[in-house]
Amino acid sequence: MKFVANVNGVDVPSVIWKDNRCVIFLPTFTAKLPKESKALLSDQQEVGCPEVVTIYNKRMGGVDLLDSHLGRYRIRLKAKKWYLMLFYHLLDPGVINSWILYKEVSFKKIPKL
């Protein structure tokens, strides 16, 4: 479903798509309705997929990977000072992102000369 609201003379589209739950997108660049279809695993039924969902799924890999690693490998140190906890919370994504980049760079095959 696609809805368009007018805010201060600017059209703001919103796209609602039901996957497992209803997902609401407020895209700034595209709001085209389904042109391609996507097969659902449960009953192999073809369902239209909005373009914004396709673009989001194509680009979201790094964010979900970071979130899953943060859930599993968080620094679990207790500190009485608030600034130490803030430091640990800022250190977590930096360490995990560097690990992800290291794995991408180190496992690429180097072409033989």
Side-chain angles (χ1 to χ4, degrees), residues 7 10 29 31-32 35 37 50 82-83 98:
V7 180
V10 178
F29 57 92
K32 293 180 185 171
K35 285 190 176 180
S37 58
W82 65 269
Y83 52 84
S98 61

Side-chain angles (χ1 to χ4, degrees), residues 31-50:
K32 293 180 185 171
L33 287 179
K35 285 190 176 180
E36 65 180 59
S37 58
K38 188 177 189 179
L40 296 177
L41 294 177
S42 60
D43 54 2
Q44 297 300 321
Q45 182 181 7
E46 295 282 325
V47 176
C49 179

Side-chain angles (χ1 to χ4, degrees), residues 10-83:
V10 178
D11 289 338
V12 179
S14 65
V15 176
I16 300 174
W17 187 55
K18 182 164 175 48
D19 189 15
N20 293 332
R21 294 184 217 160
C22 283
V23 181
I24 301 171
F25 290 93
L26 298 171
T28 57
F29 57 92
T30 183
K32 293 180 185 171
L33 287 179
K35 285 190 176 180
E36 65 180 59
S37 58
K38 188 177 189 179
L40 296 177
L41 294 177
S42 60
D43 54 2
Q44 297 300 321
Q45 182 181 7
E46 295 282 325
V47 176
C49 179
E51 184 181 24
V52 68
V53 174
T54 307
I55 293 170
Y56 175 76
N57 286 338
K58 187 177 184 182
R59 305 276 186 225
M60 70 179 232
V63 175
D64 282 348
L65 187 59
L66 175 66
D67 284 342
S68 67
H69 283 307
L70 274 174
R72 284 181 270 161
Y73 306 117
R74 184 173 294 272
I75 297 174
R76 305 243 185 242
L77 294 176
K78 291 187 178 182
K80 292 184 179 183
K81 304 291 184 183
W82 65 269
Y83 52 84

